[in-house]
Each structure stands twice: as C-alpha cells, then as structure tokens.
Amino acid sequence: MSFDTAAAQQLDQMIAALRDGEQRWAAEPLASRRQLLLQFHAHVGAHAAEWARVAGGIKQLPADSPLLGEEWISGPWAVLGYAEALADTLGRLADGRSLLAGYPVRTAPGGRAAVDVLPHNVFERLLLSGFRAEVWMEPGVTERETREQAGLGQRTPEQTDGIAVVMGAGNVTSIAPLDVLYQLYAYNRVVLLKLNPITDPLFPVLEQVFAPFIDRGYLRIVTGDARIGDHLVTHPGVDAVHITGSAATHDAIVWGVGAAGAAAKAAGTPRLTKPITSELGGVAPTIVVPGRWSAADIRFQAEHIATQRLHNSAFNCIAAQIVIISADWPQKQEFLAALRAALADAPARPAWYPGCDTRVADARRLHPQFEAVGGTAERTALWGLDLADDTETAFTTEYFGPVLGVAELPGTGLQFLSAAVDAANDRLHGTLGANLVIDNKTMRALGSGLRESIARLRYGTVGVNAWTGVGYLTARATWGAYPGHELHDIATGRGAVHNALLLHRPERTVVYGPFRPAPRSVLTGEFSLTPKPPWFVTNRTAATTGRRLTAFAARPRWSALPGIFASALRG
C-alpha cells in the first residue's frame, strides 16, 4: 500500500472497524478466546510449509539449504508452541484453575520469586533434553503476588484497552505474529499489524493463519512504507504502539525526526503521548568463563558462539557481538583459533538484510586491524578490543551484521566473572540478552557465585550454556529488555512479550543448557540427550529436523518422535 488520500481513508476505515471489533472482543468469553487460539494453531500448522518457503525466499536461501531449518524453527514452530501454551493459560483461566499449578516457584538471589517454565511436559523433556528455563520476577514481587496476579488482561477480559498498532520486525518471521497475540491477550487490545516491507511477501500467509481473528474483526494487517506507519502510530483512534526495530526508529516515532525531533527529545516533550512498548536489540555479550576444556569442548563452544553471531546471517537483535574472555586462561589461544575457524567454516549465505554492506564497511573503517574471516566480504572479526576504551564504537553500536568483537579481562573464576559482568553492564549498549559459557566443574566451583553473578547482569534474558535465542523460542518465558529504560534513553526498549503464562512484573528469563552435546554429555556425567542443536549454523540436517519439529508441534504424537531423533542425531 502506498500512502495517498485513498490509502489514508482505507486505514481510517480499518481503525473504525477495529473499534467495533473491540466491543465484540470485550464480549468474547475466555473459552471462546481459547478456541480462537486453537483455530489459529491449526491454521499455522496447515500453512507452515508455505510460511517456511516464503521466508526462505526472503532470506535468499536455496530450496535444499540446511539453513532453512532456521525458518522452520524461528517461524511456524515458535508460533505453534506459543499458541499452544497461551491456549493452556486461557483454558485454566476459563476453568478457574491456578495458572501456576504444576510450575514450581523457587527463590532466586535477592529474594526474587522464580517460576520454572521449561521443561513443562514430557515432550519438552525429551525434545529439549538438558535445557531448562525460569522466569525471575522483579525484586519485591512475592510468590503469592506472582500466583494471584498472573493472567494480566485476561483476568478481566471485558475491560479492553483499545486498539494497538504493532510495527512488525523485518528479520525473524515469528516476531510480528507473537507480538500480535501478546497485544490481544496480555493487554486485551485489538490490533492493526503493519508489516515491515521486508516481510511483505508473507502477507498472504499471515492473512490465512490469522483468519479466525481477522474474520471476527479483532485484527487487520497492512503493508506499506514509513508514511503508512507514521499515519497509524499518530492516528487519534490508536491507543497504543508496539515496535520491534532500532532505537532510531523508536525515537523517530516518539520524538520526531531531524532538528525538531532532537529538540523535542531535549525538552522532554514527545510527540507521541500514547503508551509504547518496544524491543530494540543492542550489543549482546558472550562471557566465556575459563576452565579446563577438552579439544572437543573448545570446538563445540566455538561453533556455539559462531552460531550466536551468524544465525540468520547475523540479523538478530540477540546476536552475540562481543565475546569476553580471560587474558589468563591457559587455553585462550587454542579457543581463539577454534573461534576463527568456526567463523570461517560456517556455511556461506547472502547478507540479505538491507544496509549490511554499509554497516560492515563502517566497522572495518573504524577498526583498521580487522580480519576478514575466511576471506569473506562480510564476516569480520575485531580482535583485542579494549573494554577500558571509552571511544570504542563496537561497544555502543549494534552492527546488525556478521561482525564479532573479542575483548579480554584479567583473572579466572569468580574474579573474572565479576569483572566481565561489570563490563557487560557498564560498557555495552542495550540489555536484551547476555550469554555465559561455563563448564560443569567450574560451575560447581563457583557455587552460589554463579547465581549471584546472573542476578547482577542487567539483561532481560541470560543464557547459561544456551544461546539466549533459546529464551526467545521458549513460549512460557519472557522476552524483552531489562526493566527500567526511560523513554528519552530507550536503549533496548520497554516491556516484555511472549510470556504465555501472562506473568505480572517479570524481570528476566534465565535459560540453562548442556555444556556438551550428546553423546559426550552422557559420557561425562551431564544428563542431556540433546546432540548438536538444530539452530546451530553447522547442523547438516537442520531443515529436516525443523520441518519435523514443526509438524510435531502442529500435532504432537509419540509416533513422530523417532523421526525427529534420527534427524537430530545426523545433524
């Protein structure tokens, strides 16, 4: 849709229709809202192959590429899992049951209440063996409050909260659908979704999967340029906005552009006065805690970190950008050599997201000692960054491309980890997610110091031997920036999404994974049956595994498990 008078009138009509839809949404009982989710779930399953095919075309991937596994897993598979989990929440609310029955609530550092959200059932225990996740509530939120306040907008479904505009992301195809569902159920709003132009080819697919909501007047989907988006977010009939994107786009929406926008921001007079939530990315760290690793451990964790950067061609808000290692680690050089090899040997793929060449060129221009890893045009390593250098742009600029920096700090054990946590908190831009890599022996040696260090990390998701992207994929986990960003200093954004349990005042998600893949994990006493995960960029059967996982999520059944396991083991 191009913006002109006719387009403006069409958008106005959509908003008026959504206002009527809001009245019907207010009258929709919880049981019926759950049925809408189940219908949506069925539609996603029916159109999953088309979804993955179109997404692969957007990413310029060949039809036989193993990397298509990313599109299955971060597209329909993620949405199917979320719809199922959210439907379970609605069913509990409709029946008057506790939302947290069956979810252990523990105590995290600082007296925080922490809800175990993964694994929740036998299938999760089998398919994600060795992975677990917990949601920590904000300090001061008691277990009783956590249990009593879970449900958010669905606690009083008749009290709707207007119309939300969701400004869709362009990089990961499940983001916009998940954000729509969160507005509908957590905030109890009807929604107008504006797609990012990059994902416009998915418009027909999304219309089909969201048909249950569209047909009842609870959702409209539009395409178009920035002028369409600006008309929507500033429309007097729109009550709230959610955006996934860059801080610059957020500020343009809130304050305006150019000199006028800068003046408004300086004066604290936003042009947008309605509520806005956001997920805006940042400079994500991976902290490598030194230990005594085998050669296989070093290779696997090097591939793990390469995946954290190169997944989706590095166009992820949660892509690791700065690796922090110990200068005193005896195996430092061996690890750095393995990391260089992992970056160089990862499968070649197009830099499909607009502006990548400019961002990479800027990073290389500002770092004359860069290494073009493997001789590629885009993959760039910045070795030996100085965390004490206040002028280092790699700590303050999200490159959104295949640029990975490495910095060193002295020390080992808790001394190193504490210094690395301080650096991640104080030197790196953003608070979306932080990764820790630590072997089991070192983990035991740190004892409670590890949990205390996690508590000190000011990040919305913390992954321990699990890329924080796993937190994104975990339906009952929360996703978003660490709480506390102000509108004038938005950093990684405000508010949480996903959160299928509809938890009140969550602070962060902590995800744990196995340090070693199966079968080495079992042979070394770590109980995990998970081989190389299918989201690894080096997984040779990722597309097949992703497709089978998606089919299973659409229709869970024991008979499908052997095929999934066989494909995963070949990866």
Side-chain angles (χ1 to χ4, degrees), residues 288-301:
V288 180
V289 183
R292 188 171 181 178
W293 297 4
S294 69
D297 294 337
I298 288 176
R299 287 193 301 271
F300 177 76
Q301 292 301 341

Side-chain angles (χ1 to χ4, degrees), residues 25-47:
W25 183 241
E28 195 86 68
L30 289 171
S32 179
R33 293 181 179 204
R34 177 178 179 271
Q35 284 302 314
L36 282 170
L37 281 168
L38 295 178
Q39 293 170 26
F40 168 79
H41 185 275
H43 283 235
V44 174
H47 296 283

Side-chain angles (χ1 to χ4, degrees), residues 51 55 58-59 70-76 78-79 167-179 195-196 198-199 202 206 244 279 311-319 352-353 400 467 469 472-473 479 498:
W51 182 329
I58 294 171
K59 310 297 177 67
E70 295 178 357
E71 303 314 313
W72 284 101
I73 291 170
S74 66
V79 174
M167 302 290 284
N171 59 332
V172 174
T173 60
S174 60
I175 292 177
L178 294 175
D179 290 346
L195 293 179
N196 186 297
I198 295 171
T199 61
L202 270 174
L206 294 179
T244 301
E279 190 266 83
H311 182 278
N312 197 28
S313 295
F315 304 128
N316 287 328
C317 292
I318 199 58
W352 58 269
Y353 202 92
F400 212 63
W467 178 35
Y472 173 90
L473 295 171
W479 185 253
H498 303 185

Side-chain angles (χ1 to χ4, degrees), residues 48 218 263 308 359 362 380 404 452 504 511 567:
Y218 306 149
Q308 293 174 13
R359 293 188 294 274
D362 286 345
T380 302
L404 182 69
E452 295 291 343
H504 171 67
V511 185
S567 178

Side-chain angles (χ1 to χ4, degrees), residues 415-480:
Q415 176 195 14
F416 166 79
L417 180 56
S418 295
V421 167
D422 289 340
N425 285 339
D426 301 335
R427 294 291 297 115
L428 304 185
H429 169 74
T431 64
L432 186 59
N435 309 280
L436 296 176
V437 177
I438 179 170
D439 66 87
N440 300 321
K441 183 177 180 180
T442 304
M443 192 181 298
R444 290 191 296 269
L446 290 180
S448 62
L450 176 60
R451 295 271 284 180
E452 295 291 343
S453 296
I454 293 171
R456 288 206 307 115
L457 274 166
R458 297 192 295 270
Y459 287 83
T461 299
V462 177
V464 181
N465 294 332
W467 178 35
T468 44
V470 179
Y472 173 90
L473 295 171
T474 300
R476 294 173 174 86
T478 58
W479 185 253

